[in-house]
Amino acid sequence: MGLFLLSFSDVPDLQGFLFGVFLIMYVIILMGNSLIIIMIKVDPSLQNPMYFFLGNFSSLEICYVSVTVPRLLVDLVRQSRNISFLGCATQMYFFLVLGVTECFLLTVMAYDRYVAICNPLLYPLIMNNRLCIQLAAGCWMTGVPVHIGFTYQIFSLPFCGSHQLNHFFCDVLPVLKLTCGDTFLIEVLIYVLTVLVITIPFILILASYVKIVSTILKLPSATGRAKAFSTCSSHLMVVALFFGSGIISYLRPKSSHSTGMDRFLSLFYTVVTPMFNPMIYCLRNKDFMVALRKFLLKWIVL
């Protein structure tokens, strides 16, 4: 006994097309983020805190999309889309933990930029190797214990009806619709956790960038201002894409939820945003592009 993922069964004629699209997007995500990780490991010019956190972020993106996309691809090519309660709970748990990790890691990356631009002389002292490792470890580990209890609470409720999950993975809100117990406490907990792990980090990031922009505008050199803006703009774009879709998904009123909109928003922050992240960070970063050219030239010569 378990749940049945309807996925995109409402568009049977597009199953093959959707499989091809999502497979291409998944490959782009894997290749783009893997390239970033490799470049940061092999190029000495990228051995600094900003790229250390970017390497962590790229590793996280690979894990994050791998929780949902491989299962989606399998469901698009087979008739049986059953998933056990344990399998569904496991997918939901890792999706939530990695999502929280991404929120916190983006916040830490904003703090890194804040220190680099607002306190450049103290930057090497503040953002030392020990602190960077501690911050990264904290981002990866913070959500682990919280979501064990949260996931257990959801799956301890009785499930009723057709057990048909009108979604392409075990997200919180679609699964909650299939339960028949009292969900008030869990719904309150969802809003509390959303505020703690999405809204507050988002506010901290915005506060950091208010100070960053204020500092950049005071720089005497136009070249310095342009360089500072270029290092921050890519991170700010990723923040807007990820947090924007997450806040709309989990904080909008229950009455405004619809299957089509929920699925679209989920696709946006689980597949589309991770696909664009490597492009945003690489194409808008001159230091990375220089390192990439050297790396490619080295391999071409060999």
Side-chain angles (χ1 to χ4, degrees):
M1 190 65 177
L3 300 177
F4 184 82
L5 288 167
L6 293 180
S7 193
F8 292 92
S9 57
D10 55 335
V11 283
D13 296 336
L14 295 177
Q15 301 291 293
F17 172 76
L18 290 173
F19 175 84
V21 169
F22 290 131
L23 179 61
I24 291 170
M25 293 173 78
Y26 186 50
V27 171
I28 290 172
I29 292 168
L30 294 181
M31 291 180 63
N33 285 291
S34 297
L35 178 61
I36 290 175
I37 295 168
I38 293 170
M39 290 299 305
I40 290 171
K41 290 288 185 183
V42 302
D43 196 293
S45 66
L46 304 181
Q47 304 294 317
N48 60 56
M50 182 176 79
Y51 292 105
F52 169 76
F53 291 122
L54 180 56
N56 272 268
F57 185 74
S58 294
S59 301
L60 173 64
E61 290 288 76
I62 291 173
C63 298
Y64 184 62
V65 297
S66 296
V67 170
T68 56
V69 177
R71 168 81 201 201
L72 171 60
L73 292 173
V74 171
D75 286 343
L76 286 170
V77 297
R78 67 175 184 175
Q79 296 299 317
S80 176
R81 295 170 180 171
N82 291 318
I83 184 169
S84 66
F85 286 122
L86 178 60
C88 191
T90 302
Q91 186 185 53
M92 180 188 291
Y93 171 73
F94 281 105
F95 171 75
L96 291 173
V97 168
L98 294 171
V100 169
T101 302
E102 183 152 350
C103 292
F104 291 159
L105 194 53
L106 285 170
T107 308
V108 168
M109 292 168 78
Y111 174 70
D112 171 69
R113 292 298 82 207
Y114 165 77
V115 177
I117 293 172
C118 299
N119 295 287
L121 297 179
L122 295 176
Y123 181 68
L125 183 64
I126 297 173
M127 300 303 294
N128 55 67
N129 287 337
R130 182 180 178 184
L131 180 63
C132 289
I133 293 171
Q134 288 175 341
L135 288 172
C139 292
W140 283 95
M141 299 302 296
T142 302
V144 172
V146 175
H147 286 102
I148 290 177
F150 181 67
T151 307
Y152 174 79
Q153 286 292 325
I154 292 176
F155 282 88
S156 63
L157 293 169
F159 284 78
C160 52
S162 64
H163 286 207
Q164 291 186 341
L165 185 64
N166 200 354
H167 210 50
F168 63 92
F169 73 99
C170 292
D171 201 358
V172 175
L173 298 178
V175 170
L176 207 56
K177 289 179 181 178
L178 301 181
T179 61
C180 9
D182 183 10
T183 62
F184 176 75
L185 184 62
I186 291 179
E187 288 174 6
V188 171
L189 192 57
I190 289 171
Y191 278 97
V192 171
L193 288 174
T194 302
V195 169
L196 290 175
V197 305
I198 298 180
T199 309
I200 292 178
F202 184 62
I203 292 171
L204 291 173
I205 291 171
L206 288 182
S208 298
Y209 274 101
V210 168
K211 184 65 176 175
I212 287 170
V213 170
S214 174
T215 303
I216 290 174
L217 292 176
K218 294 176 184 177
L219 294 176
S221 166
T223 305
R225 289 196 297 271
K227 185 176 181 180
F229 271 122
S230 69
T231 60
C232 296
S233 59
S234 55
H235 178 255
L236 203 53
M237 289 173 66
V238 171
V239 167
L241 289 171
F242 181 77
F243 278 94
S245 56
I247 289 172
I248 294 171
S249 293
Y250 289 98
L251 283 183
R252 63 198 172 105
K254 190 176 180 180
S255 58
S256 67
H257 283 265
S258 67
T259 301
M261 181 57 71
D262 289 345
R263 198 160 56 183
F264 171 78
L265 287 170
S266 297
L267 275 174
F268 197 80
Y269 62 74
T270 58
V271 184
V272 177
T273 300
M275 182 184 71
F276 283 116
N277 287 349
M279 302 178 196
I280 293 171
Y281 274 112
C282 295
L283 297 179
R284 296 182 62 85
N285 190 306
K286 291 182 180 179
D287 292 337
F288 190 90
M289 291 304 295
V290 169
L292 180 60
R293 289 192 195 98
K294 288 194 299 182
F295 179 76
L296 293 176
L297 286 171
K298 180 181 177 182
W299 279 98
I300 290 171
V301 171
L302 291 176

